Amino acid sequence: MATHRTLAALGQPILYHYDPLFLETFRRTQEKAARVFKTKNDIVLMQGEAIVALEGAARSMTTPGMKVLNLVQGVFGKGMGYWLTSFGAEVFELEVAYNEAVDPAAVEDILSKNPGIELVALVHSETPSGTITDCKAIGPIAKKYGALTLIDAVSSIGGLEFETDEWQLDVVVTGAQKCLGGPPGIGMVSVSPAAWERMESNPASPRASYVSLLDWREKWLKGGVFPYTPSVSDVHGLESVLDQVLEEGLDNAIDRHTLAAEATRAGVKAMGLELWAANSEIAANCVTSVRLPDNLDHVEVRAHVREKYGVMLSSGQGAGNLMRLAHMGPTSSGMYPIVGLAALGRGLKDLGMEVSVGAGIDAAMEVLAAAE
Amino acid sequence: MATHRTLAALGQPILYHYDPLFLETFRRTQEKAARVFKTKNDIVLMQGEAIVALEGAARSMTTPGMKVLNLVQGVFGKGMGYWLTSFGAEVFELEVAYNEAVDPAAVEDILSKNPGIELVALVHSETPSGTITDCKAIGPIAKKYGALTLIDAVSSIGGLEFETDEWQLDVVVTGAQKCLGGPPGIGMVSVSPAAWERMESNPASPRASYVSLLDWREKWLKGGVFPYTPSVSDVHGLESVLDQVLEEGLDNAIDRHTLAAEATRAGVKAMGLELWAANSEIAANCVTSVRLPDNLDHVEVRAHVREKYGVMLSSGQGAGNLMRLAHMGPTSSGMYPIVGLAALGRGLKDLGMEVSVGAGIDAAMEVLAAAE
Amino acid sequence: MATHRTLAALGQPILYHYDPLFLETFRRTQEKAARVFKTKNDIVLMQGEAIVALEGAARSMTTPGMKVLNLVQGVFGKGMGYWLTSFGAEVFELEVAYNEAVDPAAVEDILSKNPGIELVALVHSETPSGTITDCKAIGPIAKKYGALTLIDAVSSIGGLEFETDEWQLDVVVTGAQKCLGGPPGIGMVSVSPAAWERMESNPASPRASYVSLLDWREKWLKGGVFPYTPSVSDVHGLESVLDQVLEEGLDNAIDRHTLAAEATRAGVKAMGLELWAANSEIAANCVTSVRLPDNLDHVEVRAHVREKYGVMLSSGQGAGNLMRLAHMGPTSSGMYPIVGLAALGRGLKDLGMEVSVGAGIDAAMEVLAAAE
Amino acid sequence: MATHRTLAALGQPILYHYDPLFLETFRRTQEKAARVFKTKNDIVLMQGEAIVALEGAARSMTTPGMKVLNLVQGVFGKGMGYWLTSFGAEVFELEVAYNEAVDPAAVEDILSKNPGIELVALVHSETPSGTITDCKAIGPIAKKYGALTLIDAVSSIGGLEFETDEWQLDVVVTGAQKCLGGPPGIGMVSVSPAAWERMESNPASPRASYVSLLDWREKWLKGGVFPYTPSVSDVHGLESVLDQVLEEGLDNAIDRHTLAAEATRAGVKAMGLELWAANSEIAANCVTSVRLPDNLDHVEVRAHVREKYGVMLSSGQGAGNLMRLAHMGPTSSGMYPIVGLAALGRGLKDLGMEVSVGAGIDAAMEVLAAAE
């Protein structure tokens, strides 16, 4: 969901991409993105869903035969492992149950026992599981062992504390469509000097390709020429959501997501439902996953809630039999958590579960009322 | 509140008002309005808030010295009486408490005892009171006694059953900004042949004036020339909301408002609050008024709920110490009633009242769940 | 024609009109309007086409029997005279040919010979004639003889030098839809203290009416309560066009209109066509009127040019057999004058006139090329 | 440049991509695209600039060692050759001067003399050169020799006759941002059964990649699951431009582009400038390239015209010292050709060339006037 301001930005007139006004807009947008990443590193704005940036980053950083540690606590982390393997890396995989989180100590253990691991890949916020990985701890650990890091922060930046430079992260990928409430048409990548060096020296790094980070570096960052026509509308939309989060203040935006997540979790528990995440410490700010009983299927629940109450919920996409209540971007504000809780709760009741909808709303409102 | 589609229509390019495309749009919009009024009478689209049309209609229909019956069950009806008096009419006023509704039998009684009453004025939906007047019964009664009718249907059309022709109504005024969910920039008036005749023969009827209905008849309806530049944007917005309600089906739109009103009233009662309207039969579909205890002021409640929960509620505008939960246009759909109930309920609890918010949500969801 | 930014503003979400954000917007818009009027007087934003404000102002300022001097050099000035007469004023009318301008000396002559004239009414820019009245000279003359002034500046403010306070003007009315490039839904009025005093003491001044300026003063300016629901969308649109002109700089906006007018007049003359205005000194900045030969009718010309070249031109609305090339708001910028000239010129050629289109374009481009 | 309707579509609310309404929109958009391609083949909508689709198509169709004939008459065709070579193909290149067009007879000659050529690649409209390749003749020739075809039709579809099925074309790529006047965020590909077969059997065909056509086939076309979150806004924008061209009629749209191109070429010649294309038969409908004298640089010309007249022109991007007047999408309608001609002509005159701007406008208007 996007704010009206974001939609209006997406509908702005489409300038010729070499019009001086657009060149300025593009550069200004990069700078604003860097402020949201909290980094002094280069920012590349790749046109396409965030996955184009993840693929570009993963391919650029991987040389056949290199050792990579991949952390898995959900389907997105698992997918990264398939990629790394297919690119020819020797993959060490640390996988936990999809409602649990990887322990930084276990990461250190692997790194210390397996010298020569050159890259650590992780997903900061595993959207389908609704869980987070402790990127803050793991970043410095990787550095300590001389490994570069590749972070999927698609659904975390803007809603969760994130410090690219302070946490010493090399390649970080995010998208506009999650906590920033923007369009899914642009992938943003932050690249450290060490990561650029790796890409430049990697013969397998894509060049003259849509997924190439090096093309963007050479043509645009150094040469001022776009590798291809950028999507002017999406850049306008992206600048708008960056403006909105910077005007609000990143900390305030994170607090907003935290509050919505707390209200939602309180509501879920008070309704008598079970949170998917093993504990609140690892529960994501952007989405709350709720375990479904075996006799209920997410397809049925989603269809019922959509049709009856007009609310479209998400599933676990393979992570488990669960429903997701999203609270990211605009839906992390105001009364949105109440809407999701009431619709899901009543929907499950309609389908035969025992659910105390009112108790859930009371609990969630208690959290909202207590906020400053 | 307006849908995105309505907002997009308001933001369409502004054509020159004599461009053939706009002339066509204007006429098409009149025809669509007639379908919503359910009338074969002429439709006049006056530029300005609906009150411009009410003033124009009242002035046009009133000759100094004529007898008028004015029905009052709220502040809008009361205001009409002040106008009629100031225009020189001899006003018979039938006034009831502002949480009650006028009895059609009492209307007949007055008409039968006071021959020579030429006009009956009433407000179909008294927005601040959240009550309705039985227009369906009173229209034919007025006709029976040879009186013309002047109906303020500003907040009823689109959300409440309304039959201009079947109920034999002469001058009916509505606006786009209430149940139609449109912009407040255009007043719509339906005028019967008998009403036109009255206006033409009335020397006090405004001519060469912004509030003149006759100008619109002579210049535009008969001559194809606008009396002044119409607001192209507002006409676009109006056509869009008429399209939306006609596509949905007027009956479906009314059912939607009825359901939202029922859910809201069930929620209010279950929370332990008191409805303002004396009984559900006279409660409006477009807004539910809730009585406040003497120790709470609507200004304080509104400010608190707006700041804490981001929901802006209305007051009684003089009708009494009450709060209004609007459910009209888009806010009569989906989960909106839940949002209003939770915000108001919890807000009142924050301010010291005993309110069972959860019980209210349960009751309201029960109504929504039971709907087909 | 409106800019995309203006359209986007018109399509912004419609807030409840008593939402604190909207109250702030409304007040801010008044202040911005005052800066464009160049006045410290009160500003009233009346909802409706500018004519609602003209009517309100004329009615408020006129008492039956008072002496008024009305200056006429076109159909709008003539219409003001009809109004003043119908309101009961004793009207002195100074009328010149509709392609000429009133001489300030003649105004002084009348005022000096007819003591007791309390009001001077004039149209600063007579749109259909494409001519201007010397408001700068006449304002102080009126003051010298103790008369108040009522100025129709609907199509001048934003495109022509205008100094409400420096020129000592009492009631000035403008609209957003001409040189400001905005929506035609709001009339703006600047009212001096002396004018307020006159209105207050005038028993014929409208009260409790849509056209009442006093209602706006008492309810809104003094009481903070709207006399009726304002058109939120139109206020958004108005604020946007005021922002745009203030960001550009009023002087720059006027220069832009001046340049477009000069290019257009040069083009018209070089094409071999005849300007309607008797001389360039009295030609308006907002529109260039072009005399048609007797054998060509404006209806035919407009229909042909609209259909063949997609350009919609205006007529003289009764001022004479002429065509108007508008260059106001966005159409006074860039290459717009060229579009109008080429379409009109070629259209007239198609209809049998001898027109050197290319020579006209050369002359107009020469003017544009010479501009800094 | 995009129409307001297109911009409004881009600014529509962003639905969840698995909302039933969006799934329906996506499928409907594919079908509308097929009607514009004039094909019964599958349509794949890849998210990203059209080049993502070109890369995906070229990679999928090329196996190391296979023989490919690449036709080159400009920089885009040249680029395709670099790609094909880098993918390991044995490339036969038929290259002509960049203001000339490939002769279909020469294509047949090569194919007949080099059996085993499996693929013919060509660019239908070489945008920077402003020239076209005779796709209609070459398609069947390729088929005759058993070769598949890979067509870059990015700037031709919607503005130039194009018949995917009738011309027997296998893989055709287009974008929305050229003659369709849409956003540059989606690449559209039409794939014949023979081409799918080739891709499936090609081990080098990308899989599990952003540039993979097979992913779209397997996940979406067969499985109903998106390979990644599609850009909802861009799909809305794309559907809108497809609607617009289908409502207008494809033939009418092509006629519109043809007329604008003819008017522009007539204007260029009459101004005394030189067309870049060797002759009118090979000049593109979407853009007219104009040769610059050696002493003028396109950078200087573009900067001057942009600053002085507000018109942004394009360059040859390496094809030669030329300027481009675009007339595609909305800029191929109405008076747009006049704007471009007057701005370029006068700009060149300002910079010292002898240019008869007026004569050019006269010639261009003559073409427009002669059109039915």
Side-chain angles (χ1 to χ4, degrees):
Chain A
M1 195 193 142
T3 63
H4 185 87
R5 181 170 165 190
T6 307
L7 297 177
L10 284 165
Q12 274 187 286
I14 299 181
L15 289 176
Y16 177 46
H17 55 290
Y18 281 113
D19 190 291
L21 280 180
F22 182 70
L23 294 175
E24 210 181 288
T25 296
F26 198 90
R27 292 200 178 96
R28 210 170 46 222
T29 304
Q30 283 174 178
E31 284 159 26
K32 289 172 183 173
R35 292 172 57 197
V36 170
F37 272 99
K38 296 209 167 175
T39 188
K40 297 203 183 315
N41 290 339
D42 282 341
I43 297 294
V44 176
L45 304 180
M46 296 184 80
Q47 189 179 333
E49 206 260 351
I51 204 171
V52 73
L54 280 172
E55 179 180 350
R59 284 184 187 273
S60 302
M61 296 296 287
T62 316
T63 317
M66 76 183 271
K67 291 181 180 173
V68 180
L69 170 58
N70 186 46
L71 310 183
V72 179
Q73 59 188 60
V75 291
F76 287 167
K78 195 69 186 173
M80 176 56 78
Y82 294 140
W83 257 349
L84 296 169
T85 303
S86 78
F87 302 160
E90 182 184 339
V91 180
F92 293 71
E93 205 151 83
L94 173 54
E95 181 169 349
V96 297
Y98 286 7
N99 65 336
E100 289 284 0
V102 163
D103 181 355
V107 174
E108 178 144 24
D109 190 51
I110 294 175
L111 289 173
S112 67
K113 290 177 179 155
N114 297 279
I117 288 181
E118 298 181 59
L119 183 70
V120 176
L122 66 84
V123 180
H124 187 212
S125 163
E126 259 289 347
T127 328
S129 307
T131 60
I132 56 173
T133 305
D134 190 350
C135 200
K136 183 178 186 172
I138 295 168
I141 292 171
K143 269 282 161 299
K144 181 174 159 191
Y145 291 90
L148 296 170
T149 44
L150 168 53
I151 314 296
D152 172 346
V154 173
S155 69
S156 71
I157 288 187
L160 213 54
E161 189 198 4
F162 199 90
E163 299 278 347
T164 299
D165 288 356
E166 205 179 302
W167 299 352
Q168 308 175 44
L169 307 174
D170 293 292
V171 182
V172 181
V173 174
T174 195
Q177 76 267 34
K178 299 291 185 185
C179 292
L180 297 171
I186 294 192
M188 294 176 266
V189 200
S190 156
V191 187
S192 73
W196 278 133
E197 209 173 303
R198 160 66 51 111
M199 293 183 199
E200 294 281 7
S201 64
N202 179 6
S205 195
R207 286 167 176 85
S209 169
Y210 201 79
V211 300
S212 171
L213 278 160
L214 290 176
D215 285 3
W216 275 99
R217 184 181 206 205
E218 276 148 42
K219 293 192 181 166
W220 171 248
L221 295 182
K222 294 184 174 173
V225 172
F226 292 115
Y228 49 78
T229 309
S231 175
V232 176
S233 317
D234 284 314
V235 173
H236 287 152
L238 176 59
E239 182 176 28
S240 178
V241 296
L242 294 171
D243 281 341
Q244 290 171 62
V245 80
L246 290 169
E247 288 170 17
E248 179 182 11
L250 259 175
D251 289 347
N252 294 331
I254 293 165
D255 287 349
R256 168 167 50 82
H257 283 84
T258 305
L259 179 64
E262 287 174 354
T264 303
R265 289 194 299 264
V268 166
K269 285 189 272 189
M271 287 201 287
L273 300 173
E274 193 181 342
L275 291 172
W276 173 261
N279 60 71
S280 288
E281 283 68 45
I282 64 165
N285 264 3
C286 61
V287 71
T288 295
S289 293
V290 180
R291 187 181 293 273
L292 285 183
D294 292 347
N295 65 324
L296 272 183
D297 178 68
H298 74 85
V299 174
E300 182 188 4
V301 177
R302 294 167 75 201
H304 173 75
V305 173
R306 168 72 171 72
E307 202 203 314
K308 192 81 189 180
Y309 305 112
V311 176
M312 186 75 215
L313 303 172
S314 307
S315 71
Q317 294 182 245
N321 191 27
L322 59 83
M323 295 295 297
R324 283 192 273 158
L325 291 169
H327 28 79
M328 50 190 162
T331 59
S332 68
S333 63
M335 300 289 287
Y336 278 102
I338 303 307
V339 170
L341 286 167
L344 174 60
R346 179 72 210 193
L348 293 173
K349 190 172 177 181
D350 295 343
L351 297 171
M353 279 184 77
E354 275 199 38
V355 185
S356 307
V357 180
I361 301 305
D362 273 331
M365 287 302 299
E366 192 68 35
V367 173
L368 296 183
E372 285 169 38
Chain B
M1 195 193 144
T3 63
H4 185 86
R5 180 170 164 189
T6 307
L7 298 177
L10 284 165
Q12 275 187 285
I14 299 181
L15 290 176
Y16 177 45
H17 54 292
Y18 282 114
D19 190 291
L21 280 180
F22 182 70
L23 294 175
E24 211 181 289
T25 296
F26 199 90
R27 292 200 177 97
R28 211 170 46 223
T29 304
Q30 283 173 178
E31 283 159 27
K32 289 172 183 172
R35 292 172 57 197
V36 171
F37 271 100
K38 296 210 167 175
T39 188
K40 298 202 182 316
N41 290 338
D42 282 341
I43 297 293
V44 177
L45 304 180
M46 296 184 79
Q47 188 177 333
E49 206 261 350
I51 204 171
V52 73
L54 279 172
E55 179 180 350
R59 285 185 186 272
S60 302
M61 296 295 287
T62 315
T63 318
M66 75 184 272
K67 291 180 180 173
V68 180
L69 171 58
N70 186 45
L71 310 184
V72 179
Q73 59 189 60
V75 291
F76 287 167
K78 196 69 186 173
M80 176 56 79
Y82 293 142
W83 257 349
L84 295 169
T85 302
S86 78
F87 302 160
E90 183 184 338
V91 180
F92 292 71
E93 203 151 81
L94 173 53
E95 181 168 349
V96 296
Y98 286 8
N99 65 336
E100 291 282 1
V102 163
D103 181 355
V107 174
E108 178 144 24
D109 189 51
I110 294 176
L111 289 174
S112 67
K113 289 178 179 155
N114 297 280
I117 288 181
E118 297 181 57
L119 183 70
V120 176
L122 66 84
V123 180
H124 188 211
S125 163
E126 258 290 346
T127 328
S129 307
T131 59
I132 55 173
T133 305
D134 189 350
C135 200
K136 182 179 187 171
I138 296 169
I141 292 172
K143 269 283 160 299
K144 180 174 159 191
Y145 291 90
L148 296 170
T149 44
L150 168 53
I151 314 296
D152 172 346
V154 174
S155 69
S156 71
I157 289 187
L160 212 54
E161 189 198 4
F162 199 89
E163 300 277 348
T164 299
D165 288 356
E166 205 179 302
W167 299 352
Q168 308 175 45
L169 307 174
D170 293 293
V171 182
V172 182
V173 174
T174 196
Q177 77 268 32
K178 300 291 185 184
C179 292
L180 297 171
I186 292 193
M188 294 176 265
V189 199
S190 156
V191 187
S192 73
W196 277 133
E197 209 175 302
R198 160 65 50 111
M199 293 182 199
E200 294 282 6
S201 64
N202 179 6
S205 195
R207 287 168 175 85
S209 170
Y210 201 79
V211 300
S212 171
L213 279 161
L214 290 176
D215 285 3
W216 275 98
R217 183 181 206 206
E218 275 148 43
K219 292 192 181 166
W220 173 249
L221 295 182
K222 294 186 175 172
V225 173
F226 292 116
Y228 48 78
T229 309
S231 175
V232 176
S233 318
D234 285 313
V235 173
H236 286 152
L238 176 59
E239 183 176 28
S240 177
V241 296
L242 294 172
D243 281 341
Q244 290 170 64
V245 80
L246 290 169
E247 288 170 17
E248 179 182 10
L250 259 175
D251 288 348
N252 294 331
I254 293 166
D255 287 350
R256 169 168 49 83
H257 283 84
T258 305
L259 179 63
E262 287 173 354
T264 304
R265 287 196 299 265
V268 166
K269 285 189 273 189
M271 288 201 289
L273 300 173
E274 193 181 343
L275 292 173
W276 172 261
N279 60 71
S280 288
E281 283 69 45
I282 64 165
N285 263 4
C286 61
V287 70
T288 296
S289 293
V290 179
R291 187 181 293 274
L292 285 183
D294 293 348
N295 66 324
L296 273 183
D297 178 68
H298 73 84
V299 175
E300 183 188 4
V301 177
R302 293 168 76 202
H304 174 74
V305 173
R306 167 73 171 71
E307 203 203 314
K308 193 81 189 180
Y309 305 112
V311 176
M312 187 75 216
L313 302 172
S314 307
S315 72
Q317 294 181 245
N321 191 29
L322 58 83
M323 295 294 298
R324 282 192 274 158
L325 292 170
H327 28 79
M328 49 190 163
T331 60
S332 67
S333 63
M335 300 290 286
Y336 278 103
I338 303 307
V339 170
L341 286 167
L344 174 60
R346 179 72 210 193
L348 292 173
K349 189 172 178 182
D350 295 344
L351 296 171
M353 279 184 79
E354 275 199 37
V355 185
S356 307
V357 179
I361 301 306
D362 274 331
M365 287 302 299
E366 191 68 36
V367 173
L368 296 182
E372 288 169 35
Chain C
M1 194 194 143
T3 63
H4 185 86
R5 181 171 165 190
T6 307
L7 298 177
L10 283 165
Q12 276 187 286
I14 299 182
L15 290 176
Y16 178 45
H17 55 290
Y18 281 113
D19 190 290
L21 280 179
F22 182 70
L23 294 175
E24 210 181 287
T25 296
F26 199 91
R27 292 202 177 95
R28 209 171 48 223
T29 304
Q30 283 174 179
E31 283 158 27
K32 288 172 183 173
R35 292 173 56 196
V36 170
F37 272 100
K38 295 208 167 176
T39 188
K40 297 203 184 315
N41 290 337
D42 282 341
I43 297 293
V44 177
L45 304 180
M46 296 183 78
Q47 189 178 332
E49 207 259 351
I51 205 171
V52 73
L54 280 171
E55 179 180 351
R59 285 185 187 272
S60 302
M61 296 295 288
T62 315
T63 317
M66 76 183 271
K67 291 181 179 173
V68 180
L69 171 57
N70 186 45
L71 310 183
V72 179
Q73 59 188 62
V75 291
F76 288 166
K78 197 68 187 174
M80 177 56 79
Y82 293 142
W83 258 349
L84 296 168
T85 303
S86 78
F87 302 160
E90 182 183 339
V91 180
F92 293 74
E93 204 150 82
L94 173 53
E95 181 169 350
V96 298
Y98 287 6
N99 65 336
E100 290 283 1
V102 163
D103 182 354
V107 175
E108 177 143 24
D109 190 51
I110 293 175
L111 288 173
S112 67
K113 288 178 180 156
N114 296 279
I117 288 180
E118 297 181 58
L119 183 71
V120 175
L122 66 85
V123 180
H124 188 213
S125 163
E126 257 290 346
T127 328
S129 307
T131 61
I132 56 174
T133 304
D134 190 349
C135 199
K136 183 179 187 170
I138 295 168
I141 291 171
K143 268 282 161 301
K144 181 174 159 191
Y145 290 91
L148 296 170
T149 43
L150 168 53
I151 314 296
D152 172 345
V154 173
S155 70
S156 71
I157 288 186
L160 213 54
E161 189 199 3
F162 199 90
E163 299 278 348
T164 299
D165 288 356
E166 205 179 301
W167 298 353
Q168 307 173 45
L169 307 174
D170 293 293
V171 182
V172 181
V173 174
T174 196
Q177 77 267 33
K178 300 291 185 184
C179 292
L180 297 171
I186 293 191
M188 293 176 267
V189 201
S190 156
V191 187
S192 73
W196 277 134
E197 208 175 303
R198 161 63 52 109
M199 292 183 200
E200 295 281 9
S201 64
N202 179 6
S205 195
R207 286 168 176 86
S209 169
Y210 201 80
V211 300
S212 171
L213 278 160
L214 290 177
D215 285 3
W216 274 98
R217 184 181 205 205
E218 276 147 45
K219 292 192 182 168
W220 172 248
L221 295 182
K222 294 185 175 173
V225 172
F226 292 115
Y228 49 77
T229 309
S231 174
V232 176
S233 318
D234 285 313
V235 173
H236 287 152
L238 176 59
E239 183 176 28
S240 178
V241 297
L242 295 172
D243 281 341
Q244 290 171 63
V245 80
L246 291 169
E247 287 170 18
E248 178 182 12
L250 258 175
D251 289 348
N252 294 332
I254 293 166
D255 288 350
R256 168 166 51 82
H257 283 84
T258 305
L259 180 64
E262 287 174 354
T264 304
R265 288 196 298 265
V268 166
K269 285 189 272 190
M271 287 201 288
L273 300 173
E274 193 181 341
L275 291 174
W276 173 261
N279 61 70
S280 288
E281 283 69 44
I282 64 165
N285 263 5
C286 61
V287 70
T288 296
S289 293
V290 180
R291 188 180 293 273
L292 285 183
D294 292 347
N295 65 325
L296 273 184
D297 178 68
H298 73 86
V299 174
E300 182 188 3
V301 178
R302 294 167 75 202
H304 173 75
V305 174
R306 167 71 170 72
E307 202 202 312
K308 193 80 189 180
Y309 305 113
V311 176
M312 185 76 214
L313 303 172
S314 307
S315 72
Q317 293 181 246
N321 191 27
L322 59 83
M323 295 295 297
R324 283 192 274 157
L325 291 169
H327 28 77
M328 47 189 165
T331 61
S332 67
S333 64
M335 301 290 286
Y336 280 102
I338 303 307
V339 170
L341 286 167
L344 173 61
R346 178 71 210 194
L348 292 173
K349 189 171 177 183
D350 295 343
L351 296 172
M353 279 184 77
E354 275 199 37
V355 185
S356 307
V357 180
I361 301 304
D362 273 333
M365 287 302 299
E366 192 67 36
V367 173
L368 296 183
E372 283 169 40
Chain D
M1 195 194 142
T3 63
H4 185 87
R5 180 170 165 190
T6 307
L7 298 177
L10 284 165
Q12 276 187 286
I14 300 181
L15 290 176
Y16 177 46
H17 54 290
Y18 282 114
D19 190 291
L21 280 180
F22 182 70
L23 294 175
E24 210 181 288
T25 296
F26 199 91
R27 292 201 176 96
R28 209 170 47 222
T29 304
Q30 282 174 180
E31 284 159 25
K32 288 172 182 172
R35 292 172 57 195
V36 170
F37 272 99
K38 295 206 167 178
T39 189
K40 298 202 182 315
N41 290 338
D42 282 341
I43 297 293
V44 177
L45 304 180
M46 296 184 79
Q47 188 177 333
E49 207 260 349
I51 204 170
V52 72
L54 280 171
E55 179 179 351
R59 285 185 186 272
S60 302
M61 296 295 288
T62 316
T63 318
M66 76 184 270
K67 291 181 178 173
V68 180
L69 171 57
N70 186 45
L71 310 183
V72 179
Q73 59 188 60
V75 291
F76 288 166
K78 196 69 187 174
M80 177 55 80
Y82 294 142
W83 257 350
L84 296 168
T85 303
S86 78
F87 303 159
E90 182 185 338
V91 180
F92 293 73
E93 202 150 84
L94 173 53
E95 181 168 350
V96 298
Y98 287 4
N99 65 336
E100 291 283 0
V102 164
D103 182 355
V107 175
E108 178 144 24
D109 189 53
I110 294 176
L111 289 174
S112 66
K113 290 177 179 156
N114 297 279
I117 288 180
E118 297 181 57
L119 183 71
V120 176
L122 66 83
V123 179
H124 187 212
S125 163
E126 257 290 347
T127 328
S129 307
T131 59
I132 55 173
T133 305
D134 189 350
C135 199
K136 183 179 186 170
I138 296 169
I141 292 172
K143 269 284 161 300
K144 181 174 160 192
Y145 292 90
L148 296 170
T149 43
L150 168 53
I151 314 296
D152 172 346
V154 173
S155 70
S156 72
I157 288 186
L160 213 55
E161 189 198 3
F162 199 89
E163 300 277 347
T164 299
D165 288 356
E166 204 179 302
W167 299 352
Q168 307 174 45
L169 307 174
D170 293 292
V171 182
V172 181
V173 174
T174 195
Q177 77 268 33
K178 300 291 184 185
C179 293
L180 297 171
I186 293 192
M188 293 175 267
V189 199
S190 155
V191 187
S192 73
W196 277 134
E197 209 175 302
R198 160 66 51 112
M199 293 183 198
E200 295 280 7
S201 64
N202 179 6
S205 195
R207 286 168 175 86
S209 169
Y210 200 80
V211 301
S212 171
L213 278 160
L214 290 176
D215 285 2
W216 275 98
R217 184 180 205 207
E218 276 148 44
K219 292 192 182 168
W220 172 249
L221 295 182
K222 295 185 174 173
V225 173
F226 292 116
Y228 48 78
T229 308
S231 174
V232 176
S233 318
D234 285 313
V235 173
H236 287 153
L238 175 58
E239 183 176 28
S240 177
V241 297
L242 294 172
D243 281 340
Q244 290 171 63
V245 80
L246 291 169
E247 288 171 17
E248 179 182 11
L250 259 174
D251 289 348
N252 295 332
I254 293 166
D255 288 350
R256 170 168 49 84
H257 283 84
T258 305
L259 179 64
E262 287 174 354
T264 304
R265 288 196 298 265
V268 166
K269 285 189 272 190
M271 287 201 290
L273 300 174
E274 193 181 342
L275 291 173
W276 172 261
N279 60 70
S280 289
E281 282 70 45
I282 64 165
N285 264 4
C286 60
V287 69
T288 296
S289 292
V290 180
R291 188 180 293 274
L292 285 182
D294 292 348
N295 65 324
L296 273 183
D297 178 69
H298 74 84
V299 175
E300 183 189 3
V301 178
R302 293 167 77 202
H304 173 74
V305 173
R306 167 72 170 72
E307 202 203 313
K308 193 81 188 180
Y309 306 113
V311 177
M312 186 75 214
L313 302 172
S314 307
S315 72
Q317 294 181 244
N321 191 27
L322 58 83
M323 295 295 298
R324 282 193 273 157
L325 292 169
H327 27 78
M328 47 189 164
T331 60
S332 67
S333 64
M335 300 290 286
Y336 279 102
I338 303 307
V339 170
L341 286 167
L344 173 61
R346 179 71 210 195
L348 292 173
K349 189 171 176 182
D350 295 343
L351 296 172
M353 279 184 79
E354 275 199 37
V355 185
S356 306
V357 179
I361 300 305
D362 274 332
M365 287 302 299
E366 192 68 35
V367 173
L368 296 183
E372 285 168 38

